[in-house]
């Protein structure tokens, strides 16, 4: 499969698809700019037909079905929607808020065994909460349309902060199913996705003891230790930075060394558009090739969010180069490998100054793939799968212990 950073960039499509939610959510809890490619690169793929069978399997070993609450929320054709227990789409409405000021969109699981639902065409997220229900609030966005405030488990003032919860992401349309598990914002509930159709694929499954190992690895990295919230979740370092839990200048020495090193030598970045060759000229990292693109010196926050001076517009040139640079910074491979992207995971996260959070997530994954930062799909290391002729999707809550 062609690496997603070399296809037309689509990871921001979910942000735009959920535009009302992004506006409605408090500033500290905006939907992160990552996620899904909406369509495959080719135009001859078979079309996905109609509602897709969705199975929820609770293999958590820690929570009975009655304690698991499911939410399917997102966007269809520019409007905010949710899936009802009978598999139909319903628009978000301000009148959905109850006396407590929040909606109750929870879909209960079957009394025992697997739960079978139907997933219509839409882009969005499948949330699960364990023990307590999530509090989604319907609000009016900047255009006066009904939208949802999404949970922000990294914000202590968010009403869902005490609730054990997590989500998977997807886009399902006539072009197929495109989905991933994610740790870009945080990691809490171990889960995996199985997608059947033209192929039988699985993403997100942790190795035995993976959850505990991930929590322990982040705790052991001194600069990251405060990101672990008891046994509830691990907050991604970008959100930790915004919350005062992570150093704002953490990556500064590495960034400075990259800028210094490539003042006197070339860095090459290969994408589907061709190979770009760059050096730092003045205060900008400037690349020549199929087009000239350049980047200002990023901050630690830019690196962690793959945004700001590392933002990736969907232009086929600047975007792919930004994605490769963002991955190289987070994986700390830019100094050791002047030809990017690197594709050997044995070279990732090997320096003291690296994104130890993302490294811990990959180490916990059974196949080594995880979405630990927004450009983690560079060289196909994200827990992302797609099928242009899907026949079913299963979301499994996997073991907390084994």
């Amino acid at each position: 499969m062609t690496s997603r950073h070399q296809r037309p960039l689509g990871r921001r499509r979910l942000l735009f698809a959920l535009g009302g939610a992004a506006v409605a959510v408090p500033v500290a809890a905006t939907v992160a700019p990552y996620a899904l490619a909406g369509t495959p690169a080719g135009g001859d793929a078979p079309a996905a037909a109609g509602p897709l069978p969705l199975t929820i399997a609770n293999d958590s070993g820690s929570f009975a079905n009655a304690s698991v609450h499911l939410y399917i929320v997102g966007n269809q054709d520019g409007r905010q929607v949710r899936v009802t227990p009978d598999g139909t789409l319903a628009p978000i409405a301000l009148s959905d808020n109850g006396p407590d000021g929040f909606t109750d969109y929870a879909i209960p699981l079957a009394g025992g065994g697997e739960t079978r639902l139907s997933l219509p065409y839409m882009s969005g997220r499948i949330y699960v909460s364990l023990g307590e229900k999530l509090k989604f609030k319907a609000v009016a966005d900047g255009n006066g349309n009904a939208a949802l405030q999404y949970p922000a488990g990294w914000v202590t003032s968010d009403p869902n902060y005490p609730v054990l919860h997590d989500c998977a992401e997807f886009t399902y349309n006539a072009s197929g199913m495109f989905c991933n598990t994610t740790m870009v914002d945080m990691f809490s509930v171990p889960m995996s996705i199985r997608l059947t159709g033209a192929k039988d694929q699985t993403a997100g499954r942790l190795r035995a003891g993976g959850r505990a190992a991930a929590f322990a690895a982040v705790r052991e990295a001194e600069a990251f230790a405060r990101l672990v919230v008891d046994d509830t979740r691990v907050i991604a370092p970008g959100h930790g930075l915004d919350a005062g839990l992570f150093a704002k200048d953490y990556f500064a020495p590495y960034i400075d060394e990259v800028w210094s090193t490539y003042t006197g030598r070339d860095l090459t970045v290969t994408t589907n558009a061709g190979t770009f060759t760059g050096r730092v000229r003045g205060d900008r990292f400037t690349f020549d090739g199929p087009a000239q693109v350049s980047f200002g010196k990023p901050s630690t926050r830019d690196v962690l969010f793959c945004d700001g001076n590392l933002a990736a517009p969907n232009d086929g040139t600047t975007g792919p180069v930004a994605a490769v640079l963002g991955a190289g910074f987070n994986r700390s491979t830019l100094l050791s490998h002047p030809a990017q992207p690197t594709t050997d995971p044995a070279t990732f996260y090997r320096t003291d100054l690296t994104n130890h959070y993302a490294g811990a997530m990959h180490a916990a994954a059974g196949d080594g793939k995880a979405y630990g930062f927004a450009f983690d799909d560079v060289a196909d290391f994200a827990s992302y799968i797609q099928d242009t002729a899907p026949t079913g999707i299963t979301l499994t809550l996997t073991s907390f212990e084994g």
Side-chain angles (χ1 to χ4, degrees), residues 46-290:
L52 187 66
L54 168 64
T55 301
I56 308 298
N58 177 18
D59 294 341
S60 66
S62 302
F63 296 87
N65 277 16
S67 297
V68 179
H69 310 287
L70 184 75
Y71 306 80
I72 307 174
V73 293
N75 173 279
Q76 185 195 59
D77 297 332
R79 63 173 183 162
Q80 293 278 299
V81 294
R82 51 136 178 153
V83 175
T84 66
D86 64 5
T88 61
L89 278 181
I92 303 302
L94 298 181
S95 59
D96 291 343
N97 292 325
D100 64 351
F102 299 99
T103 65
D104 186 356
Y105 292 157
I107 300 173
L109 299 195
E114 297 180 340
T115 302
R116 302 188 185 280
L117 301 166
S118 183
L119 188 65
Y121 286 166
M122 62 180 292
S123 293
R125 292 176 175 173
I126 303 174
Y127 281 89
V128 295
S129 67
L130 306 175
E132 300 178 52
K133 290 185 177 182
L134 288 172
K135 293 179 170 64
F136 288 87
K137 187 178 184 65
V139 298
D141 67 13
N143 297 316
N145 300 316
L148 278 182
Q149 288 182 339
Y150 280 63
W154 51 94
V155 178
T156 56
S157 60
D158 187 275
N160 299 293
Y161 186 80
V163 182
L164 187 63
H165 70 279
D166 220 319
C167 72
E169 301 171 326
F170 69 95
T171 287
Y172 176 52
N173 55 34
S175 296
M177 170 58 83
F178 311 85
C179 51
N180 61 267
T181 59
T182 178
M183 294 92 160
V184 171
D185 290 323
M186 66 180 203
F187 168 60
S188 181
V189 179
M191 61 178 69
S192 67
I193 301 171
R194 180 186 179 193
L195 182 59
T196 57
K199 296 185 290 185
D200 189 335
Q201 306 171 80
T202 301
R205 183 170 290 275
L206 302 186
R207 63 179 174 84
R211 184 179 190 269
F215 275 61
V218 177
R219 280 195 186 98
E220 289 169 5
E222 183 178 357
F224 292 72
R226 296 173 67 197
L227 302 175
V228 182
V229 181
D230 302 320
D231 192 42
T232 303
R233 66 180 60 89
V234 186
I235 299 169
H239 291 307
L241 185 154
D242 286 346
L245 302 174
F246 190 79
K248 293 183 178 181
D249 60 352
Y250 174 77
F251 269 111
Y254 190 87
I255 296 166
D256 288 344
E257 192 171 358
V258 167
W259 241 243
S260 175
T261 296
Y262 290 107
T263 297
R265 64 186 292 193
D266 290 340
L267 175 71
T268 61
V269 172
T270 300
T271 75
N272 267 8
T275 297
F276 296 78
T277 301
R279 285 198 183 202
V280 175
R281 303 171 190 168
D283 60 351
R284 298 186 68 81
F285 209 144
T286 301
F287 291 81
D288 297 309

